[in-house]
């Protein structure tokens, strides 16, 4: 058995017993595939992990940067209280259209707002609205802009908020200091920003599973 097949098998086992998809989640995956969206959504165990983070955080407000088909959005939003709110930013209008349908099918359209446009344009507009600080920010968009997203997350959160950055291992390439790839440069800059920023305490975890070898960074806002 190959290593990747073993990872898939373990993920399937965990999904069956700990993070089973229901019809709304399965439909979100089917519709995303039918619309030919990139198959880069989180896995079910990762979605359940995000959901648990929201619950542990006691989050009432969530900012998601990168909606794709809304699969992770559903996992996150389901952990919110009845009066909670999630804003998700998506660059691609087609992706946003698919996500909006998936979110509505899951019965979450009253709690979730999908905003279409480049996140680095949407984020200043959001800041101008002077929203209450977000309790949790999930960053899962174009990796070259990860440091900018972390900086905006800091502006839109407060003490105790949690920032999660997905896909930071990049198959191990994040360790290549000589890489000129924009995704690696952006991810390394974001990691180093988290490590040196006086308002953040963070770490990064390597993972294996249905999406291969990757990982995430997580940081708590200190002040």
């Amino acid at each position: 058995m190959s290593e990747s097949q073993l990872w898939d098998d373990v993920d399937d086992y965990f999904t069956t017993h700990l993070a089973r998809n229901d019809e709304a989640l399965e439909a979100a995956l089917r519709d995303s595939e039918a619309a030919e969206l990139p198959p880069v959504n989180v896995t079910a165990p990762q979605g359940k992990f995000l959901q648990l983070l929201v619950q542990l955080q006691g989050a009432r407000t969530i900012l998601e940067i990168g909606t794709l088909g809304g699969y992770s959005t559903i996992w996150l939003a389901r952990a919110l209280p009845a009066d909670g709110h999630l804003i998700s930013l998506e660059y691609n209008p087609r992706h946003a259209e698919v996500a909006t349908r998936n979110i509505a099918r899951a019965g979450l359209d009253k709690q979730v707002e999908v905003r279409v446009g480049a996140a680095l344009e949407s984020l200043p507009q959001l800041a101008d609205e002077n929203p209450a600080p977000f309790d949790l920010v999930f960053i899962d968009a174009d990796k070259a802009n990860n440091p900018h997203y972390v900086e905006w997350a800091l502006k839109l959160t407060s003490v105790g908020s949690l920032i999660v950055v997905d896909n930071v291992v990049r198959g191990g390439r994040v360790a290549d200091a000589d890489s000129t790839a924009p995704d690696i440069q952006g991810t390394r800059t974001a990691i180093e920003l988290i490590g040196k920023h006086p308002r953040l305490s963070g770490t990064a975890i390597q993972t294996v599973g249905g999406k291969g070898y990757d990982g995430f960074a997580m940081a708590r806002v200190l002040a």
Side-chain angles (χ1 to χ4, degrees), residues 93-104:
R94 179 168 172 76
H95 296 180
E97 181 182 350
V98 173
T100 299
R101 290 199 304 267
N102 288 334
I103 290 162

Side-chain angles (χ1 to χ4, degrees), residues 7-8 11 29 38-44 46 167 207-214:
W7 297 345
D8 288 345
D11 243 13
L29 294 176
V40 293
N41 52 273
V42 301
T43 64
Q46 290 167 346
N167 306 128
T207 62
V208 297
K211 298 299 177 181
Y213 172 40
D214 212 326

Side-chain angles (χ1 to χ4, degrees), residues 2-71:
S2 69
E3 197 172 56
S4 61
Q5 183 59 56
L6 179 61
W7 297 345
D8 288 345
D9 290 347
V10 172
D11 243 13
D12 290 343
Y13 172 74
F14 288 156
T15 298
T16 298
H17 293 282
L18 300 173
R20 188 185 298 274
N21 283 324
D22 59 18
E23 177 53 31
L25 288 165
E26 289 288 355
L29 294 176
R30 287 197 304 269
D31 282 8
S32 296
E33 182 178 7
E36 299 183 343
L37 271 59
V40 293
N41 52 273
V42 301
T43 64
Q46 290 167 346
K48 183 63 176 291
F49 175 75
L50 291 171
Q51 190 176 88
L52 288 170
L53 285 180
V54 175
Q55 294 168 334
L56 289 167
Q57 186 73 358
R60 306 180 73 84
T61 54
I62 300 171
L63 174 62
E64 180 182 46
I65 304 176
T67 317
L68 195 60
Y71 183 75

Side-chain angles (χ1 to χ4, degrees), residues 113-128:
E113 176 186 357
V114 178
R115 300 191 179 188
V116 183
L120 292 181
E121 296 176 4
S122 299
L123 287 163
Q125 294 168 0
L126 177 60
D128 286 343

Side-chain angles (χ1 to χ4, degrees), residues 139 141-151 165-168 170 173-174 176 179-194:
I139 300 170
D142 56 307
K143 311 310 173 187
N145 282 314
N146 271 342
H148 301 302
Y149 297 146
V150 171
E151 289 170 346
V165 186
D166 202 11
N167 306 128
V168 299
R170 318 300 298 154
R173 293 184 298 131
V174 72
D176 182 2
S179 175
T180 59
D183 64 320
I184 301 304
Q185 290 185 333
T187 300
R188 286 177 62 90
T189 302
I191 292 293
E192 291 160 21
L193 172 62
I194 291 171

